[in-house]
Amino acid sequence: MKKLILILTVCLAFGCKKDLDKTLTKKDWRIESITVSPAMTIGQKTSTNYMELMGLSSCESNSMISFSSEGTYVWSSNGALCDMLSDTSIKTWKRDGDQIFLSAMPKSPMTLKGDRLIQTTSTPAAGIIYTFVYVYKSR
């Protein structure tokens, strides 16, 4: 009986891993929102809505991530002039539980919550540390 329970536990653990990986790889993940804290001023606008500050046609407001089952991913955007940001290097991802680690940003893992990926990063600028929260939704 103990062996049966052990076998079922192992099968469940590996089965769940594959299901979560399929959740990542079966659809594209498009940016839904970017929040910045504290509020940032660009030009004459001050806001915590970074997508609004950058403009609806910006690269940030039109970004997308596609994960492959082979452990690579592609970040792309169809915003204005985004082709100038072209990066052809191979980027990899790995998952540890509900966290997804991207090779391009290993210290800022994404967290999988249902149909959303959430990533928090911090950037210093002009003596202020800005915290960005990116939310991607599967589509």
Side-chain angles (χ1 to χ4, degrees), residues 12-115:
L12 258 175
F14 287 110
C16 291
K17 179 184 183 316
K18 289 185 182 205
D19 287 345
L20 287 174
D21 287 354
K22 282 184 184 178
T23 299
L24 282 175
T25 60
K26 72 180 178 180
K27 295 186 178 180
D28 293 329
W29 297 83
R30 298 191 186 271
I31 194 72
E32 182 176 66
S33 66
I34 306 171
T35 306
V36 60
S37 176
M40 183 179 270
T41 301
I42 296 178
Q44 300 295 324
K45 288 183 180 179
T46 300
S47 179
T48 59
N49 183 339
Y50 190 70
M51 288 172 57
E52 179 183 275
L53 287 172
M54 296 306 291
L56 295 177
S57 63
S58 68
C59 297
E60 291 84 358
S61 298
N62 293 282
S63 63
M64 178 184 75
I65 300 175
S66 297
F67 296 93
S68 81
S69 58
E70 288 83 38
T72 60
Y73 74 94
V74 174
W75 179 91
S76 62
S77 181
N78 62 359
L81 303 176
C82 294
D83 57 342
M84 296 176 75
L85 298 175
S86 178
D87 181 1
T88 58
S89 65
I90 296 174
K91 295 173 205 67
T92 59
W93 67 275
K94 65 180 180 174
R95 189 178 57 76
D96 185 7
D98 65 350
Q99 291 195 320
I100 293 83
F101 293 85
L102 307 179
S103 60
M105 300 181 83
K107 294 185 181 190
S108 300
M110 302 179 114
T111 303
L112 179 61
K113 292 186 179 182
D115 65 345

Side-chain angles (χ1 to χ4, degrees), residues 118-129:
I118 301 165
Q119 182 181 39
T120 302
T121 64
S122 294
T123 303
I128 300 171
I129 296 176

